[in-house]
Amino acid sequence: MGRVTSDTTATDAAAQYAPEPPGAPPVWQRRLRRFGLPVRPQTDVRARLVPAFPEPSGRLWAVFGAGPEAAARLTRWSGWAGPLLVALFAGVLRFWNLGGPRKVIFDETYYPKDAWSLLQYGYEGTWAKNANDALVGHPPELLLSPEHSYVVHPPMGKWLIALGEWAFGMNPFGWRFMVALLGTLSVLLICRIGRRLLRSTALGCLAGALLAVDGLHFVMSRTALLDLIVMFWVVAAFGCLLVDRDRTRARLAAALPVGPDQVTHPDESVGDRLRLGWRPWRIAAGLCLGLAAATKWNGLYYLAAFALMAVLWDVAARRTAGARRPFRSALRRDVLPAFGATVVVAVATYLASWSGWIATKGGYYRDWATTPEGRTGAWVWVPDWLRSLWHYQTEVYSFHTGLTTPHAYQSNPWSWLVLGRPVSYFYEDPKAGQDGCTAAEGCAREVLALGTPLLWWAACFALLYVLYRWLFKRDWRAGAIVCAVVAGYLPWFLYQERTIFLFYAVVFVPFLCLALAMMIGAIVGPPGSTERRRTIGAVGAGVLVLLIAWNFIYFYPLYTGMPIPKSAWHHRMWFDTWV
């Protein structure tokens, strides 16, 4: 070891306190490397900001005899053709015999009737007690009066259900049509989202196919309830934010300097100071999140989670571009526009969804502000309609937080992921010769809101995998999936005394499918794996997917109300809690 002099000491001190070169990893990352944190190779910053989509192989089409040009063309088209074919498959499943059972099942006793009332009056009227039987009678009767009724969910989802009733009439097919359509479109969205997120058309289509054969999503797509509508807008918002992320990072990459070596380098002035400009996809996400909250209030959790996630994506993009203080830069340049594009747009959308209630005078609490109680207080200067609406919202909030009435099919959120207590929407036990029953022992007809068991149980392991990818591999894609599952799942633990049901979980089912597709991609093997490794992985992944598909087929009669022998029904009750 050389002799230490005053000159060397000064040099070492200068090196210690010298500013880090642009793009150097932060101190905490350098310290964690001694514990095994992987070192990212210092690649072109443009490639890190905007990673290229892997060039798909045309070998699959060559196997079917396509020439090189035809194989290349088919490969290009697969980015849309694959998702459309998966969505077509999902649509056929969901629309087949959509009008059956020809009954008002479970909570269809509320929302289709409210939707029809919105078409007639602009607000929810009152139905006679025997209205359900009259709706499916021969001939059907509409026992509706203009007297307002108390409802506890915003009107947006009911307006969408009303579109199907306006087009096809007040019958089971009409009130289920829009929900089935949105369920089908959500499969298409997940295919495209999975393709963009996982950078693989095959994995994107796999995620959509898994969603297509999930029993809970399937049943909810064929029942006129609100939760699947919330799910659709949440998925749409997630997709919009993904597109916004890619476009924003591309804008940062385009502004970075290119060195003599034709490599894009990080730049502090770009990372810290560049304004990201007009972001229509983020505004579209705010609109979708507002529509989700205007359907059911649990959409508000997604508004908070996705808005925070989008800002953190901006922080990461600025850090990669060379920002010295990415959090400060994002706080100064991105947080306020993000708040306007998401929260402000969502609130405006929510208010607009109440336009029918606002424009008419017959809705519940519509004239509360003109009563003696409403004329008191410090807010009398606020328009009457807005004070009446605010009072209505506070009453609804009190109802939701105080709902503890026991129900035979309620369940604790701890049991949701393992499908502890599914919800029976409809059950009949026809005798031989009745309603298509051919079994001498008699039959059972049921519509059971049960996720495909093997899919959900495999998704439990997939959630552990994406948590690992996010926490230890710093994989932002895994973090995005975790965020979406957490926003739809964890808030229900705050209301464990409330009457809640498994079917609320349909909102985060698409993200379980994305997590499972990501895990299956890892099972198949990363790029560069040996042929033997990928063959073994593909066989294992294929067996898992086929078992999930078989499991959906096995439970299909319980999803559609088909008559099956009672013994066959008992065989499908794998646990006592499913009965």
Side-chain angles (χ1 to χ4, degrees):
M1 179 174 178
R3 181 179 165 195
V4 177
T5 66
S6 59
D7 292 337
T8 58
T9 304
T11 303
D12 292 342
Q16 180 181 359
Y17 294 104
E20 296 290 342
V27 174
W28 67 271
Q29 287 186 15
R30 298 199 298 274
R31 288 175 178 170
L32 285 177
R33 283 176 183 171
R34 72 186 69 172
F35 300 104
L37 186 74
V39 179
R40 281 185 175 177
Q42 295 299 312
T43 56
D44 187 349
V45 177
R46 173 180 288 274
R48 292 173 58 196
L49 283 170
V50 191
F53 195 95
E55 189 67 28
S57 172
R59 287 186 301 173
L60 175 64
W61 303 110
V63 170
F64 292 101
E69 293 185 5
R73 191 181 305 112
L74 289 169
T75 301
R76 287 195 304 270
W77 290 351
S78 65
W80 272 105
L84 286 172
L85 285 174
V86 174
L88 177 63
F89 166 71
V92 171
L93 284 177
R94 281 149 180 76
F95 281 96
W96 185 265
N97 194 29
L98 181 62
R102 187 177 170 76
K103 301 282 186 179
V104 178
I105 63 174
F106 198 59
D107 278 358
E108 286 187 340
T109 189
Y110 301 116
Y111 311 121
K113 293 189 292 186
D114 287 344
W116 184 262
S117 182
L118 288 174
L119 280 178
Q120 308 307 310
Y121 308 126
Y123 62 90
E124 292 86 347
T126 300
W127 292 78
K129 290 184 178 180
N130 61 333
N132 289 355
D133 293 332
L135 282 174
V136 294
H138 299 283
E141 294 183 77
L142 303 176
L143 305 181
L144 172 65
S145 71
E147 178 66 25
H148 57 230
S149 63
Y150 181 56
V151 295
V152 294
H153 292 299
M156 187 64 238
K158 290 170 280 190
W159 277 114
L160 287 173
I161 293 173
L163 288 177
E165 295 173 343
W166 172 77
F168 301 102
M170 186 57 174
N171 54 67
F173 181 86
W175 66 60
R176 294 169 188 161
F177 175 82
M178 284 302 298
V179 184
L181 179 63
L182 295 182
T184 302
L185 291 177
S186 67
V187 171
L188 176 62
L189 286 177
I190 285 297
C191 288
R192 293 291 297 176
I193 287 170
R195 181 179 186 271
R196 181 178 289 268
L197 186 71
L198 305 177
R199 286 296 194 264
S200 167
T201 300
L203 290 181
C205 290
L206 174 61
L210 291 172
L211 186 61
V213 297
D214 174 63
L216 182 60
H217 186 275
F218 176 74
V219 170
M220 296 297 288
S221 297
R222 293 168 54 86
T223 312
L225 272 63
L226 300 179
D227 299 84
L228 186 125
I229 300 174
V230 177
M231 180 276 304
F232 173 81
W233 293 121
V234 166
V235 169
F238 187 82
C240 290
L241 289 176
L242 275 182
V243 177
D244 173 75
R245 180 186 186 275
D246 286 351
R247 294 196 172 193
T248 299
R249 293 171 75 90
R251 191 174 299 157
L252 279 168
L256 291 173
V258 179
D261 52 359
Q262 300 303 310
V263 173
T264 303
H265 297 282
D267 185 270
E268 180 181 347
S269 62
V270 172
D272 276 325
R273 299 186 181 90
L274 182 69
R275 295 187 180 276
L276 299 178
W278 172 249
R279 301 174 71 168
W281 284 100
R282 179 171 282 185
I283 295 173
L287 175 65
C288 292
L289 291 168
L291 292 170
T295 301
K296 284 186 79 171
W297 279 2
N298 55 323
L300 293 172
Y301 294 112
Y302 275 100
L303 173 61
F306 283 3
L308 177 61
M309 180 179 69
V311 171
L312 292 178
W313 283 352
D314 288 346
V315 171
R318 288 187 179 278
R319 179 188 290 118
T320 303
R324 289 285 184 180
R325 299 177 178 85
F327 280 96
R328 180 187 297 181
S329 300
L331 183 64
R332 293 176 59 186
R333 303 192 182 279
D334 302 326
V335 169
L336 190 59
F339 181 83
T342 54
V343 177
V344 174
V345 170
V347 170
T349 303
Y350 182 86
L351 288 175
S353 73
W354 286 88
S355 56
W357 182 90
I358 295 169
T360 58
K361 291 295 184 181
Y364 204 87
Y365 280 134
R366 176 61 183 86
D367 296 322
W368 175 86
T370 63
T371 64
E373 182 186 359
R375 292 195 185 101
T376 60
W379 299 94
V380 293
W381 54 273
V382 175
D384 288 351
W385 67 267
L386 187 54
R387 285 189 292 126
S388 296
L389 182 60
W390 177 257
H391 177 72
Y392 196 173
Q393 308 307 295
T394 59
E395 291 296 311
V396 169
Y397 178 78
S398 298
F399 170 85
H400 284 305
T401 55
L403 182 61
T404 57
T405 306
H407 192 283
Y409 289 102
Q410 71 183 71
S411 59
N412 190 284
W414 286 106
S415 69
W416 287 1
L417 290 179
V418 294
L419 302 173
R421 182 59 170 163
V423 183
S424 180
Y425 287 177
F426 166 81
Y427 181 85
E428 285 183 349
D429 51 354
K431 307 300 180 183
Q434 298 176 353
D435 295 332
C437 177
T438 57
E441 61 182 301
C443 293
R445 296 182 63 204
E446 184 170 28
V447 175
L448 186 66
L450 170 72
T452 303
L454 292 185
L455 190 156
W456 280 63
W457 297 339
C460 291
F461 293 97
L463 285 178
L464 295 177
Y465 172 72
V466 295
L467 275 171
Y468 160 76
R469 291 287 309 180
W470 176 45
L471 294 175
F472 295 100
K473 298 295 184 179
R474 295 177 294 145
D475 191 329
W476 71 270
R477 305 169 303 167
I481 294 172
V482 170
C483 175
V485 174
V486 163
Y489 185 33
L490 291 192
W492 293 110
F493 286 90
L494 301 174
Y495 307 102
Q496 295 190 59
E497 300 301 322
R498 187 186 184 277
T499 307
I500 54 180
F501 302 91
L502 169 66
F503 66 82
Y504 295 171
V506 74
V507 180
F508 61 82
V509 166
F511 304 102
L512 295 182
C513 294
L514 285 172
L516 187 51
M518 190 173 186
M519 185 182 76
I520 289 174
I523 292 174
V524 172
S529 300
T530 64
E531 195 71 23
R532 175 182 174 82
R533 164 69 178 84
R534 293 188 73 98
T535 300
I536 295 174
V539 170
V543 168
L544 175 60
V545 172
L546 289 175
L547 285 174
I548 289 172
W550 165 83
N551 205 210
F552 173 77
I553 295 170
Y554 180 71
F555 283 99
Y556 182 83
L558 298 188
Y559 299 144
T560 56
M562 292 174 56
I564 57 175
K566 279 197 173 181
S567 57
W569 178 85
H570 281 291
H571 290 158
R572 287 165 172 79
M573 296 295 106
W574 286 359
F575 302 100
D576 292 340
T577 56
W578 289 10
V579 178

